[in-house]
Amino acid sequence: MRFAVGERDFEVDGRPVRLLSGALHYFRVHEAQWGHRLAMLRAMGLNCVETYVPWNWHEPRPGEVRDVGALGRFLDAAGAAGLWAIVRPGPYICAEWENGGLPAWLTGALGRRVRTRDAAFLRAVDGWWEVLLPQVVARQCDRGGPVVLVQVENEYGSYGSDAAYLAHLAGRLRGLGVTVPLCTSDGAEDHMLTGGSVPGVLATVNFGAGARAAFAALRRHRARGPLMCMEFWCGWFAHWGRTGVPRAARDAAEALREVLECGASVNVYMAHGGTSFGGWAGANRAGEVQDGALLPTVTSYDYGAPVDERGRPTEKFWRMREVLARFAEGPLPAVPEPEPVVAGPLEVALSGWLSADAVVAALGDPEVCAGVPPTFEELGVDRGVVRYRVAVPGPRAAYPLRVSGLRDLATVYVDGVRAGVLTEDEPVLAGPVAGPAEVELWAESLGRVNYGPRLGEAKGITGGVLHERQYLHGVRAQGLRLAVLDGAAGAAAVAGLGFGAPAAGARGLHRGTVTVPVGGVGDAVLELEGWTRGFAWVGGFPVGRYWSAGPQRGLFVPGPVLREGVNEVLVLELEGPEGADGAAGAPRLVP
């Protein structure tokens, strides 16, 4: 099959076609549920699926590339479901994903040189693509596979204007064997289309409404070629501590209708959002130019999508299905039955607890001592926490203790007593500290920025710890990476630890089990009533970050990670129980 860009339409073997695509990220859906979710997209009336590729998920540490074959398996599943595929391999993806998909070990070293023609950055991208792209090249439509379109970068016009960088990426894709059409995608504004488009490469636009105006902007830059909305935003994502306003199903469906009445192709973003498992959710910056307060994104990437986080059709699904049916070739497939749910509620029986200090001592990386606090990036911590320890010399009077360049949050202990929580916006401890004293700062990354000019900023203490105006030196730092608790390796590491008596909600690592009855395996939600902030694992699978700040309540647990009988549950609580009485209930799984 030959897929091409014509004067006004996409063409398959010379026949005009329209791409009716939906976004579904393979890394946000358990692999055992890909088939169900892809069938949901087909039943909605779509003929194509789109996915990003997160570089940092596949190469979390330099040279440690893991499971690039997941992309190939997903594309095979898409083809088996009767869908074409659009691949957006970055290197930057945004996607409300940690660091926009760029590895922290790379942005930590290069800073603002990323996403430019910088030679070191291009070498890294070239090396990564040499490993990744065979998964795409072998599955292009002219080789019998589903891939019909590959994107160059992502919304680059919202970030930069380095035409040489974009030209290098386009040339590299071609050089590595991509023969299907290439495209770019940008906001429907002149400066974005100017900065993000590439001569000779199809330009597409992203928007949530106002299709006619958006396509008019595109035509000012490209008089010929198919019209396409690469991201039709049918909903939106949520931030911790903020309540969003969901988009009405009728409004989204009518906006989609306008796109299609313009004769355009579309990619519904998101058709099914899934979940940012394992603490991979990113963060944004507030303000018109994304340079304000940090806004960390919740674990759920439900997005208000037509297929919800658990794979069920919503009202938006049915209304969009009605719109898409008018443009589909033939009758739409039947809607798949929903996935089974767990037989619950099932309480987690907590069996042991280990203090945060003991966890870091047992599972953390080696402690280092430096003149100034090392950042997460310098310590090799992508997702996790860092314990900083520093001495206030004495004797000296009580002065304010301040952290400059804190990202994003630190719980402070003075001589072993909790003294408060510092943030980027409130970096001064409420009470003064006299010397001598031993200070511990447990720093957390709440998600690296995934969009805007502050992409790639470092985490941890990026400045220093000051007592009055004086920097404190001789800082000891020890990182705890979340990945050490993942899978079978994590279970083995935990098995050797000396857990004490259970202490529900206390700061530290909690171990427990939940017993699923015969025939009772299915999707579930992990509830942690009274717990404050941390991460959870079920059956070795990292279900993500929880936080009492809301709006998300509970963590989605895919049915395939559970088994009949006993399942291990781990909870890493970083703050301690909320509420004046310090009470927390036992975790539980609910349908």
Side-chain angles (χ1 to χ4, degrees), residues 512-517 539 562-569:
T513 57
V514 61
T515 301
V516 178
L562 294 170
R563 64 183 182 184
E564 294 177 350
V566 177
N567 297 261
E568 185 173 71
V569 177

PDB file of all heavy atoms in Angstrom, residues 512-517 539 562-569:
ATOM      1  N   GLY A 512       2.097  -4.860  52.509  1.00  0.00           N
ATOM      2  CA  GLY A 512       0.864  -5.549  52.842  1.00  0.00           C
ATOM      3  C   GLY A 512       0.461  -6.495  51.739  1.00  0.00           C
ATOM      4  O   GLY A 512       1.157  -6.632  50.719  1.00  0.00           O
ATOM      5  N   THR A 513      -0.663  -7.157  51.927  1.00  0.00           N
ATOM      6  CA  THR A 513      -1.186  -8.075  50.921  1.00  0.00           C
ATOM      7  C   THR A 513      -2.686  -7.873  50.780  1.00  0.00           C
ATOM      8  O   THR A 513      -3.374  -7.466  51.722  1.00  0.00           O
ATOM      9  CB  THR A 513      -0.918  -9.542  51.299  1.00  0.00           C
ATOM     10  OG1 THR A 513      -1.488  -9.816  52.581  1.00  0.00           O
ATOM     11  CG2 THR A 513       0.574  -9.838  51.319  1.00  0.00           C
ATOM     12  N   VAL A 514      -3.171  -8.177  49.586  1.00  0.00           N
ATOM     13  CA  VAL A 514      -4.603  -8.180  49.340  1.00  0.00           C
ATOM     14  C   VAL A 514      -4.928  -9.496  48.653  1.00  0.00           C
ATOM     15  O   VAL A 514      -4.220  -9.921  47.730  1.00  0.00           O
ATOM     16  CB  VAL A 514      -5.049  -6.973  48.491  1.00  0.00           C
ATOM     17  CG1 VAL A 514      -4.387  -6.954  47.113  1.00  0.00           C
ATOM     18  CG2 VAL A 514      -6.560  -6.923  48.365  1.00  0.00           C
ATOM     19  N   THR A 515      -5.960 -10.169  49.111  1.00  0.00           N
ATOM     20  CA  THR A 515      -6.332 -11.480  48.594  1.00  0.00           C
ATOM     21  C   THR A 515      -7.540 -11.345  47.673  1.00  0.00           C
ATOM     22  O   THR A 515      -8.605 -10.882  48.088  1.00  0.00           O
ATOM     23  CB  THR A 515      -6.651 -12.452  49.740  1.00  0.00           C
ATOM     24  OG1 THR A 515      -5.497 -12.566  50.595  1.00  0.00           O
ATOM     25  CG2 THR A 515      -6.995 -13.826  49.197  1.00  0.00           C
ATOM     26  N   VAL A 516      -7.340 -11.739  46.412  1.00  0.00           N
ATOM     27  CA  VAL A 516      -8.405 -11.671  45.414  1.00  0.00           C
ATOM     28  C   VAL A 516      -9.049 -13.051  45.311  1.00  0.00           C
ATOM     29  O   VAL A 516      -8.357 -14.052  45.089  1.00  0.00           O
ATOM     30  CB  VAL A 516      -7.847 -11.239  44.039  1.00  0.00           C
ATOM     31  CG1 VAL A 516      -8.950 -11.225  42.993  1.00  0.00           C
ATOM     32  CG2 VAL A 516      -7.186  -9.862  44.146  1.00  0.00           C
ATOM     33  N   PRO A 517     -10.359 -13.151  45.472  1.00  0.00           N
ATOM     34  CA  PRO A 517     -11.009 -14.464  45.428  1.00  0.00           C
ATOM     35  C   PRO A 517     -10.972 -15.079  44.028  1.00  0.00           C
ATOM     36  O   PRO A 517     -10.759 -14.381  43.025  1.00  0.00           O
ATOM     37  CB  PRO A 517     -12.449 -14.149  45.858  1.00  0.00           C
ATOM     38  CG  PRO A 517     -12.647 -12.712  45.522  1.00  0.00           C
ATOM     39  CD  PRO A 517     -11.306 -12.054  45.729  1.00  0.00           C
ATOM     40  N   GLY A 539       1.249  -5.791  43.161  1.00  0.00           N
ATOM     41  CA  GLY A 539       1.817  -6.912  42.424  1.00  0.00           C
ATOM     42  C   GLY A 539       3.090  -6.542  41.684  1.00  0.00           C
ATOM     43  O   GLY A 539       3.369  -7.085  40.604  1.00  0.00           O
ATOM     44  N   LEU A 562      -3.213  -8.055  38.687  1.00  0.00           N
ATOM     45  CA  LEU A 562      -3.694  -8.834  39.828  1.00  0.00           C
ATOM     46  C   LEU A 562      -3.774 -10.313  39.471  1.00  0.00           C
ATOM     47  O   LEU A 562      -3.839 -10.681  38.298  1.00  0.00           O
ATOM     48  CB  LEU A 562      -5.073  -8.334  40.261  1.00  0.00           C
ATOM     49  CG  LEU A 562      -5.146  -6.921  40.835  1.00  0.00           C
ATOM     50  CD1 LEU A 562      -6.600  -6.483  40.975  1.00  0.00           C
ATOM     51  CD2 LEU A 562      -4.427  -6.850  42.176  1.00  0.00           C
ATOM     52  N   ARG A 563      -3.794 -11.153  40.478  1.00  0.00           N
ATOM     53  CA  ARG A 563      -3.969 -12.583  40.297  1.00  0.00           C
ATOM     54  C   ARG A 563      -4.873 -13.100  41.407  1.00  0.00           C
ATOM     55  O   ARG A 563      -5.005 -12.478  42.467  1.00  0.00           O
ATOM     56  CB  ARG A 563      -2.627 -13.296  40.330  1.00  0.00           C
ATOM     57  CG  ARG A 563      -1.903 -13.186  41.670  1.00  0.00           C
ATOM     58  CD  ARG A 563      -0.539 -13.855  41.630  1.00  0.00           C
ATOM     59  NE  ARG A 563       0.108 -13.781  42.943  1.00  0.00           N
ATOM     60  CZ  ARG A 563       1.340 -14.205  43.187  1.00  0.00           C
ATOM     61  NH1 ARG A 563       2.049 -14.723  42.203  1.00  0.00           N
ATOM     62  NH2 ARG A 563       1.848 -14.121  44.403  1.00  0.00           N
ATOM     63  N   GLU A 564      -5.473 -14.229  41.156  1.00  0.00           N
ATOM     64  CA  GLU A 564      -6.261 -14.862  42.213  1.00  0.00           C
ATOM     65  C   GLU A 564      -5.343 -15.249  43.370  1.00  0.00           C
ATOM     66  O   GLU A 564      -4.221 -15.695  43.167  1.00  0.00           O
ATOM     67  CB  GLU A 564      -6.967 -16.102  41.671  1.00  0.00           C
ATOM     68  CG  GLU A 564      -8.010 -15.793  40.624  1.00  0.00           C
ATOM     69  CD  GLU A 564      -8.650 -17.047  40.049  1.00  0.00           C
ATOM     70  OE1 GLU A 564      -8.130 -18.155  40.342  1.00  0.00           O
ATOM     71  OE2 GLU A 564      -9.642 -16.931  39.314  1.00  0.00           O
ATOM     72  N   GLY A 565      -5.805 -15.008  44.570  1.00  0.00           N
ATOM     73  CA  GLY A 565      -5.000 -15.302  45.740  1.00  0.00           C
ATOM     74  C   GLY A 565      -4.304 -14.066  46.268  1.00  0.00           C
ATOM     75  O   GLY A 565      -4.823 -12.949  46.150  1.00  0.00           O
ATOM     76  N   VAL A 566      -3.110 -14.241  46.824  1.00  0.00           N
ATOM     77  CA  VAL A 566      -2.414 -13.177  47.541  1.00  0.00           C
ATOM     78  C   VAL A 566      -1.612 -12.297  46.573  1.00  0.00           C
ATOM     79  O   VAL A 566      -0.863 -12.799  45.738  1.00  0.00           O
ATOM     80  CB  VAL A 566      -1.475 -13.768  48.604  1.00  0.00           C
ATOM     81  CG1 VAL A 566      -0.692 -12.668  49.310  1.00  0.00           C
ATOM     82  CG2 VAL A 566      -2.284 -14.579  49.623  1.00  0.00           C
ATOM     83  N   ASN A 567      -1.775 -10.986  46.710  1.00  0.00           N
ATOM     84  CA  ASN A 567      -1.053  -9.998  45.918  1.00  0.00           C
ATOM     85  C   ASN A 567      -0.349  -9.022  46.869  1.00  0.00           C
ATOM     86  O   ASN A 567      -0.963  -8.522  47.813  1.00  0.00           O
ATOM     87  CB  ASN A 567      -2.007  -9.199  45.023  1.00  0.00           C
ATOM     88  CG  ASN A 567      -2.721 -10.050  44.009  1.00  0.00           C
ATOM     89  OD1 ASN A 567      -2.337 -10.118  42.855  1.00  0.00           O
ATOM     90  ND2 ASN A 567      -3.797 -10.718  44.429  1.00  0.00           N
ATOM     91  N   GLU A 568       0.918  -8.744  46.602  1.00  0.00           N
ATOM     92  CA  GLU A 568       1.658  -7.822  47.460  1.00  0.00           C
ATOM     93  C   GLU A 568       1.347  -6.377  47.105  1.00  0.00           C
ATOM     94  O   GLU A 568       1.213  -6.022  45.928  1.00  0.00           O
ATOM     95  CB  GLU A 568       3.164  -8.052  47.339  1.00  0.00           C
ATOM     96  CG  GLU A 568       3.969  -7.183  48.305  1.00  0.00           C
ATOM     97  CD  GLU A 568       5.448  -7.515  48.330  1.00  0.00           C
ATOM     98  OE1 GLU A 568       6.125  -7.202  47.330  1.00  0.00           O
ATOM     99  OE2 GLU A 568       5.914  -8.073  49.335  1.00  0.00           O
ATOM    100  N   VAL A 569       1.251  -5.532  48.109  1.00  0.00           N
ATOM    101  CA  VAL A 569       1.021  -4.101  47.956  1.00  0.00           C
ATOM    102  C   VAL A 569       2.118  -3.358  48.711  1.00  0.00           C
ATOM    103  O   VAL A 569       2.403  -3.674  49.870  1.00  0.00           O
ATOM    104  CB  VAL A 569      -0.367  -3.688  48.493  1.00  0.00           C
ATOM    105  CG1 VAL A 569      -0.554  -2.175  48.386  1.00  0.00           C
ATOM    106  CG2 VAL A 569      -1.474  -4.416  47.736  1.00  0.00           C
TER     107      VAL A 569
END
